Amino acid sequence: MLRKMGGVVSGVVAWFLIAGVANRILHAAWPAYSQAEVDKTFTLGMSIARLFVGAISSLSAGVVAAWITNRSVLAIKFLSSVLLVLFLPVITLWERFPPWYHVVFLTSLPVFTLLGGLLYPRRTR
């Protein structure tokens, strides 16, 4: 049980670490992105880049949880639910992004987390 909880917590931490590093890379590589982030006036390309970062973060979080829990499907499903619940209340951003962005982002959280976790091979004991 502790291993499963540790896998979920580690998956959440991994999601935020990877997203944070990727966001810093976007800022460094794309000066217009930094300016757009202040007012949340992203172009289509910037929005797609943000969605890509979210997908990679979710995929990686699933892999981390699977690695720690030896691919416990229950832990991976719980992690995907936790990530979804963490991002649903960000109401302040709902009016700053188009509806399609929210649909894609919120859908990608559980889908890519599960995919990352299920792609990780189960170890034999």
Side-chain angles (χ1 to χ4, degrees):
M1 183 65 160
L2 283 176
R3 181 177 288 257
K4 289 179 183 173
M5 289 172 32
V8 171
V9 170
S10 297
V12 170
V13 169
W15 196 101
F16 283 100
L17 282 175
I18 292 164
V21 168
N23 193 40
R24 290 193 187 275
I25 291 169
L26 277 176
H27 279 271
W30 200 348
Y33 181 86
S34 296
Q35 294 169 342
E37 192 170 43
V38 174
D39 297 327
K40 305 292 187 250
T41 54
F42 298 109
T43 64
L44 178 62
M46 292 174 188
S47 295
I48 290 171
R50 289 174 60 87
L51 290 171
F52 182 74
V53 166
I56 294 300
S57 299
S58 297
L59 195 69
S60 302
V63 168
V64 167
W67 173 59
I68 291 173
T69 65
N70 192 22
R71 199 174 162 213
S72 165
V73 175
L74 179 64
I76 297 164
K77 286 180 179 179
F78 190 72
L79 170 62
S80 64
S81 299
V82 167
L83 288 173
L84 190 59
V85 167
L86 283 174
F87 283 101
L88 275 176
V90 188
I91 302 298
T92 57
L93 296 178
W94 282 83
E95 55 196 40
R96 298 206 176 222
F97 292 95
W100 67 265
Y101 180 89
H102 296 295
V103 170
V104 171
F105 177 69
L106 292 174
T107 302
S108 75
L109 285 167
V111 169
F112 282 101
T113 303
L114 288 169
L115 182 63
L118 295 177
L119 287 176
Y120 187 83
R122 182 180 275 283
R123 297 181 304 273
T124 56
R125 292 186 180 186

